[in-house]
Structure formats: C-alpha cells, structure tokens
Amino acid sequence: MADYDLTSRIAPHLDRHLVFPLLEFLQERELYADDEILKAKIQLLSQTNMVDYAMDIHKALYHTEDVPQEMVGRRVEVVARLKSLEESAAPLISFLQNAALVQELRPDKQYNIQMLHDRFQIGADQIEALYQYAKFQFECGNYSGAADYLYQYRALCTNSERSLSALWGKLAAEILMQNWDTALEELNRLKEIIDSKSFASPLNQLQNRIWLMHWSLFIFFNHENGRNGIIDLFFQDRYLNAIQTNAHHLLRYVATAVIVNKRRRNMLKELVKVIQQEQQSYKDPITEFLECLYVNYDFDGAQKKLKECEQVILNDPFLGKRVEDSNFTTVPLREEFLENARLFVFETYCRIHRCIDISVLAEKLNLNMSYDEALVWITNLIRNSKLEAKIDAVLGTVTMPIVHQNVHEQIIEAMKNLNMRTYLLAKNIVEPAQAAQATR
C-alpha cells in the first residue's frame, strides 16, 4: 500500500516540522523500513534547531551512544544563538510579561510603537528581535513559546509580509500542539488575507492557497466540524481551481469527506465531475470507487476498489487516525467510510435493478456476513434510506417499485451528460495541442 502513500506529494507543501507527525505515522504502520524513516527524520532535523532529538535518532539508527562531532558543535551554536536572541528581545519580553503594562496597548499599532519607544526605549530592533527569537524557539521545538511570541509580535508588526510569515508560524505551532479550535481560527485569518485583493501576485496567491489546503488537513480531520470545513473550503471555485492546477492528490481527502458526510451528499455530483476531469492527472482507490459507481456503473469494480479503500484509509496519516478504547484500537473514519460507501452501492444498485437477490447484494456490498445477518443489515439500511423497497424474506429478494421519469427530466439528464462529454472531448483535443505547441 506504499504505492498510495501521498507523503512525498504532501511534504513539499508543509513546514518541515509538520512532516514529523506524518513520518511518525508511517513508522508506526511499518509501510517503509525503519531505517528509511529514521534517515528521513535526521535529514529533516538537520534544517532545524532540534539537535538533541537528532542525536537521539542517530543513536537509534546506528545503535551507538556516540554522535558525530558536527552535531555536538551544532548544539553549542544553537545554545549560544538562543541566549543571544533572548538578550536582544529581553526588554520587550519583560514588558509583555507585565499584564498591567500590556493593558496599555491599543489596536492602533503606530500608537503602540511610539509609546514603547517613548516610555520604555523599545524600538524596531527589539520588535525584530522578538520575531527572530520566536522563530528560533519554533525551530527548537518550543511551539508553545513560539505561538505566544508570534501572537504578540503580530500586534506590533507593521510589515505585512513579516506579519503574514508570523501568522503561518503561529498556525504551524497550534497544529503541532493540537489546539484545533485555535488552529482553525488562525486558518480562517490566513484565508482572509490570502483571498484579499491586496495580496501579492496571482501566482503567489495560488501557491498560498495550495499551502493552506495542505496545512488544513491536520485541522479538518481532527476538528469536530472539520468534515464540513474541508468541503466548504475545497469546493470554493478558487480553491477547487488550485487543486486542479497543482494539487490533484487532495481529491482523496475531499472525496472521503463527502462520502462520510451524510448531510453533504448534494456535493457528490460536483465531486464526481471533478474526478472525471482529473482522472488522467490523479486517481486512487477512493476516487476510482466513485468513478466505478457513478460513471461506469461497474459494481464489480466498485466492490474491488472498496476493499482497497479500506487499506488506503488505514495507511493514510490523516484518514487513519487511531483511537484507543480499553484494550481495542479503532479507526473511526474507516467504519464511517465503509458504512456510507456501502449505502452508495446499495442505493445505486437498487435504482437500476427491479428485483435483487439478497445474497448477490450482500456480495456487492462486501458484507462478509451470513445470510441472516445480511438480511438484517439490508433491512435496516432500507429503513434508514429514502428508497421505497420491499423485502421478500421467503424468496430472499429485494424488490424495487417502477419509477417512471417524465420526458422533461429525461431531457435535462441527457443534456447534463452531453455537457460533460463535450467538455471532456474539448479537453482531450486542446491539451495535446497546447503540449505540442509548448515543445516547439
């Protein structure tokens, strides 16, 4: 299942500190050799100030208590630099630690800067030192301290680019501390800035949207309202365009969110349309499951892909979150996905068949149950769904009433299919022509 691992695609869009939780998950799932994961961690750590952590991993990787002299020297440099930055930022930090003095600050940044200069001899150099100190703390792995200092720095910063950088850092710190409510607030602040007309160039705006969506995965698959949040964000035109431009792999996550969210079934048609458009650029068992079911009506194919979906979820760092319950470990999203995916298969199968053998239906749904258990499961499914179906327990069949679609509905449905086929045809003609022209 390492073939479906998206870490190599996702990591370039993350801060290096955010990659560590992904590597920890992969190490736990044993998708790769342990030595490979440890080497990847050391490579990541070489660009941070977490020298002690790097030393521990080096010892585990090479089964020794000795560490390279360069690591020892690096540690001395980090401690010295940390002390120097702390001294430079000390006057402003001392002020910020005094609750009575902090209350004198106002929403007007210019007033605050002037007040700090006139009364406390704190100027631009000390404010810049606070940013550098906060950034250094983050690189050392002190995410709590970094988040606090970056928040305070933004209250004084008048440079929009530096303020944006601080906000990205604050978001990363909150994610790493698993403060999901606060992280969601910072995510929304970032989105507002990125979407503003005064933001940098359109290309820069596109890149920031792609970063934002990747970082948001940590939040949306942990926050209680995250599955609505990811659908709301990823289906916005500008963000959907960004996915289709340079982040096709994010379709896995929005597809999963739509499948497990019963209240957002209205997004299914739009999702399937996008999956069709991007099938040459990206596909995995989750997107292929929807394509088999809603485009090709290939129930055998859907059945096969559903089995693969289960493994994809279990081995995905965002989808495969484990919950400890007494002596058991469960993956809640796996259960929800399979339940809803089976409902999709059931509803679609029932809409195109008049009379269905329960044994056959149970096989299509991958139920792995006895006949009686399958009968109870399907009965409950019919009761909870909107389908008008009748079960004949004696004959072992499910019978669907005949529904006559009026002429207008048939024309509308045919036009929708025609529009999609026209789009795909045009795309297949234009893209090779553009590629050929680009190579000239």
Side-chain angles (χ1 to χ4, degrees), residues 363-388:
E363 181 185 348
K364 299 295 182 189
L365 296 173
N366 281 341
L367 290 181
N368 297 320
M369 299 176 180
S370 68
Y371 175 83
D372 290 338
E373 290 173 327
L375 179 61
V376 172
W377 193 92
I378 291 170
T379 301
N380 290 332
L381 195 62
I382 291 173
R383 186 178 294 126
N384 295 329
S385 68
K386 297 179 180 180
L387 292 173
E388 296 180 6

Side-chain angles (χ1 to χ4, degrees), residues 264-380:
R264 305 302 293 272
R265 292 281 294 276
N266 60 310
M267 305 304 298
L268 194 56
K269 281 188 177 181
E270 176 70 13
L271 173 63
V272 172
K273 183 177 76 172
V274 174
I275 288 173
Q276 279 187 273
Q277 291 170 358
E278 304 304 325
Q279 61 180 329
Q280 300 301 321
S281 302
Y282 177 79
K283 58 185 175 182
D284 66 24
I286 293 176
T287 63
E288 288 179 308
F289 166 75
L290 291 174
E291 192 173 6
C292 283
L293 195 57
Y294 292 108
V295 180
N296 304 324
Y297 297 102
D298 177 4
F299 294 98
D300 291 334
Q303 179 188 11
K304 179 183 175 183
K305 292 302 173 185
L306 188 54
K307 291 179 181 178
E308 295 176 12
C309 286
E310 185 174 2
Q311 291 304 311
V312 169
I313 290 170
L314 291 175
N315 293 305
D316 187 286
F318 299 104
L319 309 180
K321 178 184 175 183
R322 281 150 176 75
V323 175
E324 302 289 339
D325 183 15
S326 300
N327 297 325
F328 299 96
T329 301
T330 61
V331 180
L333 194 139
R334 167 187 171 274
E335 306 302 328
E336 291 180 63
F337 183 94
L338 291 178
E339 178 186 343
N340 284 281
R342 284 169 178 154
L343 177 60
F344 285 9
V345 174
F346 176 78
E347 289 180 346
T348 307
Y349 196 81
C350 288
R351 285 195 174 102
I352 61 176
H353 292 84
R354 177 82 171 83
C355 186
I356 309 152
D357 186 285
I358 289 176
S359 299
V360 173
L361 188 55
E363 181 185 348
K364 299 295 182 189
L365 296 173
N366 281 341
L367 290 181
N368 297 320
M369 299 176 180
S370 68
Y371 175 83
D372 290 338
E373 290 173 327
L375 179 61
V376 172
W377 193 92
I378 291 170
T379 301
N380 290 332

Side-chain angles (χ1 to χ4, degrees), residues 9 49 68 101 121 127-128 137 150 154 159 187 194 209 217 232 262 285 334 348 396 404 421 431 437-438:
R9 294 197 188 192
N49 297 326
L101 293 176
Q121 291 73 54
I127 295 175
E128 173 63 18
Q137 287 280 8
L150 288 171
R154 291 192 70 243
N159 183 310
L187 183 81
I194 293 169
R209 285 188 179 123
L217 297 176
D232 290 338
K262 290 183 174 68
R334 167 187 171 274
T348 307
H404 296 286
R421 291 182 180 183
E431 286 187 351
Q437 189 175 9

